[in-house]
Amino acid sequence: MKNYIFLAFAILCESVATSFLKASEGFTKPLQTIIFVVFMSASFYLLTHAIKVIPIGIAYAIWSAVGIVLIALIGYFVYKQTLDLPAILGIALIVIGVIVINVFSKSASH
């Protein structure tokens, strides 16, 4: 279970890093760039602990799906970016895919 906690914190750090990647405006803002680097580094460090037990493909599928949802929400609330119906449906299909993997696949470690 602790490996999934590492993965959850890795995803949170990656989401923070990605929002600061946007805020860094092409690495032209030093503070935002430093925050991006620190959180992205922390994210990968935490991910290395998660994949000691969780298969990397499963961990990356979860990372991707949850990260996409979090970044879409950050984009909406922070950057006022909206998604159209096809984008929302696409994201929903990605999330459904990860749920299928975790509920039905023997590859996912629980």
Side-chain angles (χ1 to χ4, degrees), residues 42-104:
S43 178
F44 280 112
Y45 174 77
L46 292 164
L47 182 61
T48 64
H49 287 289
I51 62 174
K52 287 179 181 176
V53 173
I54 304 168
I56 193 164
I58 302 300
Y60 201 77
I62 295 167
W63 164 297
S64 299
V66 176
I68 288 168
V69 170
L70 287 175
I71 290 302
L73 291 170
I74 291 167
Y76 180 80
F77 288 108
V78 176
Y79 297 108
K80 309 300 181 213
Q81 300 171 340
T82 58
L83 298 174
D84 59 7
L85 184 59
I88 293 169
L89 288 174
I91 290 171
L93 289 172
I94 292 168
V95 172
I96 289 167
V98 170
I99 291 169
V100 167
I101 289 169
N102 280 286
V103 172
F104 298 109

